[in-house]
Amino acid sequence: MNASFSRRQLLLAMLATPLVLSACGDKAPKQPAFRNLEGVDMSSADFAKDFSLLDTEGQRRTMADYRGKIVLIFFGFTQCPDVCPTALTRAVDIKELLGEDGDKLQVLFISIDPERDTPELLRAYMQAFDPSFVALRPTEEELAKTASDFKVFYQKVPTGSSYTMDHSALTYVYDTQGKLQIALRHTQTAEEAVADIGQVLALSK
């Protein structure tokens, strides 16, 4: 009787094993959030989640203020000779190319040169590109923390009696819920950027 019971247990175990293996084998692999990006997929990144900085009107801003918008964040400075104006000009083109969805876009420019970038100067700089663009001016301490949180590089470089700034050139793109999704490379065209941002918009619909 015991031997018969043992054989029955063994048979049941053998029958159950393929079912378990089959269940594991049928589990679909996780699909990538995006396809054919020109930029960088940041959807699994565990940084650059939020900030708390003053805008040019002295109002403290966080990511929550822009919930419902596709947010583009770029770090730069007003005396930047080429990278910053190129990135902001591209942002203007992106907004136009998005058509009706352009109203869903919010561009944030975080100064890495608060020593020279006064609120008045930053406000005028944004107006020169698009009045809807918002500049944020951190203190030196806030800048160090925010740059660290966003893994952004910046460095003062002496130039004779003055200085310039070296800095990262990626543009971070957030979905309407305030989650980082992709990063646009500086070398991307406006059209390529719109194709990438369109995928972020699709996630938000």
Side-chain angles (χ1 to χ4, degrees):
M1 184 175 181
N2 289 339
S4 175
F5 183 70
S6 296
R7 285 195 297 271
R8 184 182 178 189
Q9 282 186 314
L10 179 60
L11 179 61
L12 288 173
M14 291 174 65
L15 289 172
T17 300
L19 294 177
V20 174
L21 292 176
S22 177
C24 293
D26 289 343
K27 185 177 181 180
K30 183 179 179 181
Q31 296 297 317
F34 305 105
R35 294 184 181 278
N36 302 318
L37 281 181
E38 291 292 337
V40 183
D41 186 344
M42 306 289 282
S43 58
S44 61
D46 192 30
F47 63 90
K49 295 179 179 180
D50 206 352
F51 57 83
S52 179
L53 302 171
L54 295 180
D55 65 16
T56 58
E57 304 301 325
Q59 184 172 350
R60 187 158 294 278
R61 297 291 189 176
T62 67
M63 189 63 75
D65 292 316
Y66 305 102
R67 193 63 57 88
K69 296 277 191 177
I70 297 293
V71 176
L72 272 60
I73 294 182
F74 183 81
F75 288 74
F77 65 115
T78 61
Q79 296 191 41
C80 180
D82 47 30
V83 173
C84 301
T86 298
L88 289 169
T89 298
R90 182 181 67 176
V92 172
D93 294 339
I94 289 169
K95 184 177 178 181
E96 181 178 353
L97 288 170
L98 283 171
E100 293 182 357
D101 285 333
D103 290 338
K104 299 175 182 176
L105 194 71
Q106 178 61 63
V107 175
L108 302 181
F109 180 85
I110 299 179
S111 172
I112 58 166
D113 188 17
E115 180 180 338
R116 295 182 297 189
D117 286 347
T118 64
E120 294 76 20
L121 184 57
L122 284 167
R123 192 181 307 122
Y125 194 61
M126 293 298 99
Q127 288 284 334
F129 292 97
D130 188 298
S132 72
F133 292 2
V134 173
L136 301 171
R137 181 177 180 265
T139 63
E140 292 289 353
E141 293 76 17
E142 288 173 335
L143 174 57
K145 179 183 185 305
T146 305
S148 176
D149 290 346
F150 281 66
K151 300 190 183 303
V152 166
F153 166 81
Y154 72 98
Q155 177 178 287
K156 184 182 289 188
V157 180
T159 56
S161 60
S162 185
Y163 66 89
T164 187
M165 302 292 294
D166 282 347
H167 62 95
S168 305
L170 290 176
T171 297
Y172 289 143
V173 181
Y174 293 75
D175 64 22
T176 56
Q177 298 305 306
K179 185 182 184 309
L180 177 60
Q181 293 290 353
I182 63 176
L184 302 176
R185 305 177 196 273
H186 184 64
T187 53
Q188 283 182 246
T189 65
E191 289 79 10
E192 291 169 341
V194 167
D196 286 357
I197 292 170
Q199 295 193 58
V200 178
L201 276 166
L203 287 177
S204 305
K205 291 181 179 179

